[in-house]
Amino acid sequence: MLDKNGIAKRIAKEVQDGYYVNLGIGIPTLVANFVRDDIEVEFQSENGVLGMGPFPFEGEEDADIINAGKQTITTLPGASFFDSATSFAMIRGKHVDLTILGAMEVSEEGDIANWKIPGKMVKGMGGAMDLVASAENIIVAMMHTNKRGESKLLKKCSLPLTGVGCVKKIVTNLAVLEVTPEGFKLLERAPGVSVAEIKKATEGNLLIEGDIPEMQLI
């Protein structure tokens, strides 16, 4: 089973040379820490940063340099800063190659709910709606179940939707899954996790074809 860093490390393998990548709040922000050194990637944050680096070491933080989640970040040589209008022009103009988001629920049809729990105060949807409406390659980083042990990979989302039919791939603490017209296709299982455990933790339709390999994080 993976922890949050393990999920981020696995997703980092999806990042290709030359990609422009948007990292959502939560687990996705960790992905920048694990990208290979031999490729060039530009990480974008919708608050107006292009060229984010890993998180700073303790004592080296600059409170003026933050991501969309208000976490302090580092920037790489050549990084640029701009206003939100420019940032969302990049997103809406489909100039981002890969979007990595957190989620509270994902349906077997690729719907995503990640912005609101009814009855709880939220500031708004933020950039999530723009990201899911504009991005063509969305990977979700999430825990497979909630704190009560209930599946977050569902037949239908129960929470307010952020986007419909937009998620392509999901990496959880248990598995890597692809969204297909028939449901969640199991691609890989986390170290020490059995197919039976993944099946039990998945409410939506789970497609299992042949032997499912264990994730390789190195």
Side-chain angles (χ1 to χ4, degrees):
M1 187 180 298
L2 303 179
D3 59 10
K4 291 180 179 180
N5 282 301
I7 294 172
K9 190 178 292 187
R10 173 59 187 82
I11 291 176
K13 294 180 67 175
E14 301 288 326
V15 178
Q16 298 181 23
D17 189 31
Y19 264 18
Y20 288 84
V21 181
N22 180 281
L23 300 177
I25 296 170
I27 298 173
T29 60
L30 301 171
V31 173
N33 295 337
F34 301 108
V35 173
R36 291 180 3 230
D37 294 331
D38 62 337
I39 63 174
E40 292 189 11
V41 179
E42 295 287 349
F43 287 106
Q44 192 251 19
S45 184
E46 61 257 35
N47 60 315
V49 185
L50 186 64
M52 290 191 298
F55 284 121
F57 292 109
E58 187 173 352
E60 297 180 4
E61 303 93 340
D62 184 338
D64 290 326
I65 304 177
I66 61 172
N67 61 19
K70 300 180 177 63
Q71 298 168 302
T72 54
I73 58 171
T74 62
T75 55
L76 300 176
S80 58
F81 302 92
F82 35 83
D83 61 17
S84 289
T86 302
S87 180
F88 280 95
M90 294 177 183
I91 293 167
R92 294 170 182 170
K94 300 183 183 295
H95 301 296
V96 176
D97 298 297
L98 174 63
T99 297
I100 303 169
L101 298 173
M104 292 177 281
E105 295 177 347
V106 176
S107 82
E108 63 185 38
E109 296 176 344
D111 305 338
I112 181 172
N114 77 340
W115 76 280
K116 183 179 181 179
I117 297 176
K120 292 194 174 183
M121 181 67 72
V122 294
K123 295 180 180 179
M125 188 174 281
M129 182 171 60
D130 290 272
L131 288 164
V132 300
S134 304
E136 296 181 354
N137 188 9
I138 297 175
I139 297 178
V140 167
M142 66 189 295
M143 293 297 172
H144 211 102
T145 59
N146 62 26
K147 294 178 181 179
R148 298 184 297 276
E150 299 165 340
S151 180
K152 296 167 68 173
L153 276 67
L154 309 172
K155 293 184 180 301
K156 296 284 185 183
C157 292
S158 62
L159 296 173
L161 294 181
T162 312
V164 175
C166 55
V167 176
K168 298 292 187 291
K169 186 174 286 187
I170 307 155
V171 180
T172 76
N173 54 320
L174 301 183
V176 178
L177 308 104
E178 179 184 0
V179 177
T180 76
E182 290 77 35
F184 300 112
K185 181 178 179 180
L186 183 57
L187 302 179
E188 301 173 20
R189 53 189 176 81
V193 176
S194 68
V195 172
E197 289 176 284
I198 298 167
K199 190 172 183 178
K200 182 178 179 181
T202 307
E203 182 202 279
N205 188 40
L206 185 65
L207 306 175
I208 303 168
E209 299 178 358
D211 293 330
I212 305 301
E214 193 171 275
M215 286 185 212
Q216 301 298 317
L217 300 180
I218 299 177

